[in-house]
């Protein structure tokens, strides 16, 4: 049994990770300001007696000072931090660059300083494949140069560099996981048309009773990765960090995605077919967005070799087996 802090514990990936840690018998200190996380996720996690929730904001140093005092008072030794807090998507970040910088960059700095002062050694950071930009060809590899097209990808890259620096200077052990288009249960769909695309498509068809909105020509391709596979990657990364292999994990970057990708039209057709709906009548095309990638596909050979990780859940399998999850939320079409 280990003690973990999950920053962003009530969000999409954070709630799934927290639940898995609790089910595995660990203690979880969940930290969230509930800006995009949900009270529904909080209610679910608080059913576990080993979950301790603190409503704190990583942009406020006094909140992290309180967290440090709280852990000291309860004599709680933290084995690893999972850093998932932050503005989570490209278009909202473009619309509010100041919030993105404050949360993703200043927030990361504050967390690292909290760890240094609290003698917490290990961190697993949720980064993004958007760092690769347009300059690199698929499949994308970790040693490719960054090509940050927006404040979101830039904030993730800067955070990676902070982790690498703190690892070198202060003896921390850190892993940066670059996610590729995560989907699955508890997707945060409050962002309107900027929500994650799999959940967005189901919401449009089942709840809003309207056609799917395809951005641009619909030929842009994405490597969709299930949230359970992302959770597994976090656990494997934390396990390796906690072994103290310092020469390997001074902010080491790993792709967490799939080698197979799908165009937006292909994804739309898979979902429409699964619901028995007409392909042609249920798609409309909208304007292309700025600063978005044309294609993503992950070279995961490094994660396979070092972390022993590879994805297990395919997009088609998920959609085929989990229609009922969306039916329960929004009813049938």
């Amino acid at each position: 049994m280990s003690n973990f802090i999950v920053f962003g514990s009530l969000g999409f990936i954070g709630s799934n990770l927290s639940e898995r840690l609790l089910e595995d018998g660990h203690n979880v200190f969940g930290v969230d300001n509930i800006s995009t996380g949900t009270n529904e996720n909080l209610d679910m996690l608080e059913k576990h007696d080993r979950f301790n929730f603190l409503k704190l904001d990583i942009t406020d140093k006094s909140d992290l000072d309180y967290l440090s005092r709280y852990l000291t008072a309860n004599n709680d030794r933290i084995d690893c931090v999972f850093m998932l807090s932050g503005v989570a998507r490209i278009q909202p970040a473009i619309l509010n660059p100041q919030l993105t910088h404050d949360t993703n960059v200043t927030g990361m700095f504050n967390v690292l300083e909290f760890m240094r002062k609290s003698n917490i050694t290990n961190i697993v950071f949720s980064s993004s494949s958007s760092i690769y930009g347009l300059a690199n060809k698929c499949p994308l590899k970790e040693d490719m140069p960054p090509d940050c097209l927006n404040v979101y990808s830039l904030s993730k890259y800067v955070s990676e560099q902070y982790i690498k620096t703190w690892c070198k200077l202060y003896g921390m052990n850190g892993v940066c996981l670059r996610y590729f288009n995560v989907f699955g249960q508890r997707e945060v769909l409050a962002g309107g048309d900027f929500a994650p695309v799999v959940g967005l498509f189901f919401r449009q068809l089942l709840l809003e009773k309207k056609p799917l909105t395809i951005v641009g020509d619909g030929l842009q391709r994405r490597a969709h990765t299930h949230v359970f596979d992302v959770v597994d990657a976090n656990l494997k990364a934390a396990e390796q960090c906690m072994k103290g292999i310092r020469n390997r994990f001074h902010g080491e970057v790993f792709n967490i995605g799939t080698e197979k990708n799908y165009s937006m039209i292909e994804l739309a057709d898979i979902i429409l077919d699964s619901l028995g709906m007409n392909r042609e009548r249920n798609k409309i095309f909208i304007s292309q967005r700025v600063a978005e990638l044309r294609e993503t596909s992950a070279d995961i050979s490094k994660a396979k070799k070092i972390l022993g990780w590879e994805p297990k859940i395919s997009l088609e399998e998920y959609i085929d087996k989990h229609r009922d999850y969306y039916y329960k939320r929004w009813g049938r079409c």
Side-chain angles (χ1 to χ4, degrees), residues 174-245:
V175 170
C176 303
L177 304 179
R178 289 182 179 172
Y179 301 154
F180 285 68
N181 301 95
V182 187
F183 70 97
Q185 65 181 32
R186 304 187 197 129
E187 290 168 309
V188 178
L189 300 176
D193 289 342
F194 299 146
V197 68
V198 175
L200 171 64
F201 279 178
F202 274 103
R203 187 189 71 193
Q204 288 177 334
L205 293 170
L206 298 178
L207 177 65
E208 299 170 5
K209 310 296 184 185
K210 68 180 187 181
L212 302 179
T213 52
I214 310 293
V215 175
D217 60 11
L219 299 180
Q220 60 272 40
R221 305 186 70 85
R222 297 290 181 264
H224 298 281
T225 313
H226 194 273
V227 67
F228 289 173
D229 287 325
V230 170
V231 166
D232 282 339
N234 275 267
L235 298 183
K236 290 181 183 296
E239 181 182 3
Q240 293 296 327
C241 275
M242 289 158 59
K243 289 180 179 178
I245 309 174

Side-chain angles (χ1 to χ4, degrees), residues 292-312:
E292 289 195 350
L293 307 187
R294 187 64 179 171
E295 180 177 9
T296 62
S297 174
D299 182 319
I300 58 171
S301 55
K302 185 178 177 182
K304 286 182 180 179
K305 179 180 179 181
I306 298 177
L307 299 181
W309 176 89
E310 59 184 311
K312 297 181 175 64

Side-chain angles (χ1 to χ4, degrees), residues 198 201-202 204-206 210-214 264-284 319 323 327 333:
V198 175
F201 279 178
F202 274 103
Q204 288 177 334
L205 293 170
L206 298 178
K210 68 180 187 181
L212 302 179
T213 52
I214 310 293
M264 291 300 102
I265 291 176
E266 289 170 343
L267 172 61
D269 288 342
I270 290 170
I271 291 175
L272 289 166
D273 290 347
S274 76
L275 299 176
M277 301 181 70
N278 183 276
R279 289 185 176 188
E280 302 304 320
R281 293 199 300 269
N282 288 288
K283 293 196 292 274
I284 58 174
I319 290 173
R323 285 190 303 270
Y327 285 150
C333 49

Side-chain angles (χ1 to χ4, degrees), residues 102-114:
D102 292 345
T103 307
N104 292 12
V105 179
T106 303
M108 171 58 77
F109 175 87
N110 290 343
V111 167
L112 288 171
E113 279 294 87
F114 153 75

